[in-house]
Amino acid sequence: MTRTDQTPSVSVLPEIDVAGAARTRHPLRWVASIVLLVLAAQLVSLLVTNPNFQWDVVGRYVNAQLIGQGIATTLLLTVIAMAVGVVLGVLLAIGRLSENPVARGACGLYVWFFRGTPVLVQLVLWYNLSYLLPEISFGVPFGPEFVAADTNALITPLLAAILGLGLNEGAYMAEIIRGGLMSVDPGQSEAAAALGMSDARTFRRIVLPQAMRFIIPPTGSQVISMLKATSLVSVIALADLLYTVQSIYNRTFQTIPLLIVACVWYLVITSILYVGQSFIERHYARGATRNAPQGFWAFAAFRRRRTTEVTS
């Protein structure tokens, strides 16, 4: 009996000579970089050499007490309007997910109206509510009135701004919260019900903690958007940052430097909010995504977003 050794055939790859390998050239990248650098140099030259910017005026007003009062009003309005928007958003989101067709339809109608009309129109409407209702009263329909108040005395510019911004924000927050709640697997609610947990406890202990990962990041973006949207209240004579700047340059006719002051403060505040948002996103995104959230300093330094591996 003869024995034959059978060896598996191995495919031999041709050797690749890398001695003359060269890095791939990207001429379009160099062209784009040169164009951007030229534009940046022109911008710097414009900022430095153009006397119409009046940087001495900017430096004189950037720390002015009147500007600080406008900033305080802007921040106060942002906090109150966002609080109103979040509370309304939670209620509207629960109503839109309710099995009650009346509540679901009413909440859907609210979201449709306030998302479909400009916030500037809503601000002007609330500010001029006295044309529609000279007196606001509460009582029995077609019956006696219990409480009545003059609309002009009740709807101040601050209250009109809170109503306009807060009610509008509630419609957007409702969709954000509804999307976050719907992202949770329904099977977890069913499992909690099988364990005898009530609906309220299931929502508080099971659904909401998981939905927060999808709710918090867009909410941070809404806070930044709300801060910038407060500039619209200048049309109803509320002394926020923009209205304060306008009142100054209407007297001094130094329009451009005063607008630069407003832009500087908006950029400073939004940058601080962006730092907070990046930390919150990083906290809620841990272990849930392959792409690690990009921090503020990485964004400012033009670093690429890091990629992390998810271990099972």
Side-chain angles (χ1 to χ4, degrees):
M1 182 176 182
T2 60
R3 179 181 176 182
T4 59
D5 294 334
Q6 296 180 354
T7 59
S9 60
V10 180
S11 60
V12 179
L13 296 176
E15 295 184 359
I16 300 176
D17 186 10
V18 296
R23 181 178 298 179
T24 305
R25 300 181 182 276
H26 301 280
L28 293 180
R29 293 182 183 178
W30 286 99
V31 172
S33 300
I34 293 173
V35 171
L36 291 176
L37 289 175
V38 170
L39 292 177
Q42 290 181 344
L43 177 61
V44 173
S45 175
L46 176 66
L47 295 176
V48 173
T49 60
N50 192 337
N52 294 326
F53 283 104
Q54 296 179 291
W55 293 110
D56 57 331
V57 178
V58 175
R60 185 166 68 251
Y61 281 104
V62 73
N63 293 324
Q65 182 179 1
L66 192 60
I67 299 296
Q69 294 174 358
I71 295 172
T73 303
T74 295
L75 295 177
L76 177 65
L77 186 58
T78 301
V79 172
I80 297 177
M82 279 305 304
V84 172
V86 169
V87 172
L88 276 176
V90 172
L91 297 177
L92 290 170
I94 295 175
R96 294 205 66 187
L97 296 175
S98 173
E99 296 180 358
N100 187 341
V102 177
R104 189 168 60 249
C107 294
L109 184 63
Y110 180 98
V111 173
W112 168 78
F113 176 80
F114 281 94
R115 291 183 67 189
T117 54
V119 63
L120 181 59
V121 176
Q122 298 174 30
L123 286 170
V124 177
L125 179 63
W126 283 110
Y127 185 67
N128 295 279
L129 187 63
S130 60
Y131 288 98
L132 180 64
L133 297 173
E135 187 179 72
I136 297 177
S137 61
F138 295 94
V140 179
F142 307 102
E145 297 179 355
F146 300 134
V147 179
D150 182 66
T151 304
N152 283 326
L154 185 62
I155 305 296
T156 61
L158 179 61
L159 183 58
I162 292 173
L163 291 174
L165 296 175
L167 296 181
N168 181 268
E169 185 63 28
Y172 287 92
M173 287 302 304
E175 293 301 290
I176 292 175
I177 295 172
R178 185 175 69 93
L181 296 177
M182 293 179 64
S183 65
V184 181
D185 187 1
Q188 301 194 36
S189 299
E190 298 173 359
L195 294 174
M197 298 178 64
S198 63
D199 293 341
R201 189 177 183 184
T202 300
F203 177 80
R204 187 177 65 255
R205 301 292 297 274
I206 304 298
V207 178
L208 189 58
Q210 299 182 66
M212 291 297 286
R213 185 171 67 247
F214 302 94
I215 294 174
I216 290 297
T219 301
S221 298
Q222 287 298 113
V223 173
I224 296 175
S225 298
M226 174 61 70
L227 175 72
K228 295 182 291 185
T230 56
S231 61
L232 297 174
V233 303
S234 60
V235 300
I236 59 174
L238 182 62
D240 70 320
L241 175 57
L242 180 60
Y243 183 84
T244 303
V245 166
Q246 290 175 336
S247 65
I248 296 175
Y249 71 63
N250 285 334
R251 299 193 309 267
T252 63
F253 301 101
Q254 297 168 328
T255 305
I256 296 300
L258 267 301
L259 289 177
I260 292 176
V261 170
C263 291
V264 167
W265 278 112
Y266 279 121
L267 286 173
V268 169
I269 300 172
T270 53
S271 299
I272 294 173
L273 292 176
Y274 185 83
V275 172
Q277 179 188 357
S278 64
F279 279 108
I280 294 174
E281 288 184 5
R282 187 181 301 273
H283 173 75
Y284 281 97
R286 289 183 302 179
T289 179
R290 289 184 178 272
N291 291 326
Q294 190 179 36
F296 174 76
W297 296 116
F299 170 79
F302 304 101
R303 296 177 184 173
R304 293 184 178 180
R305 187 180 297 271
R306 295 175 304 176
T307 301
T308 57
E309 296 182 357
V310 178
T311 58
S312 56

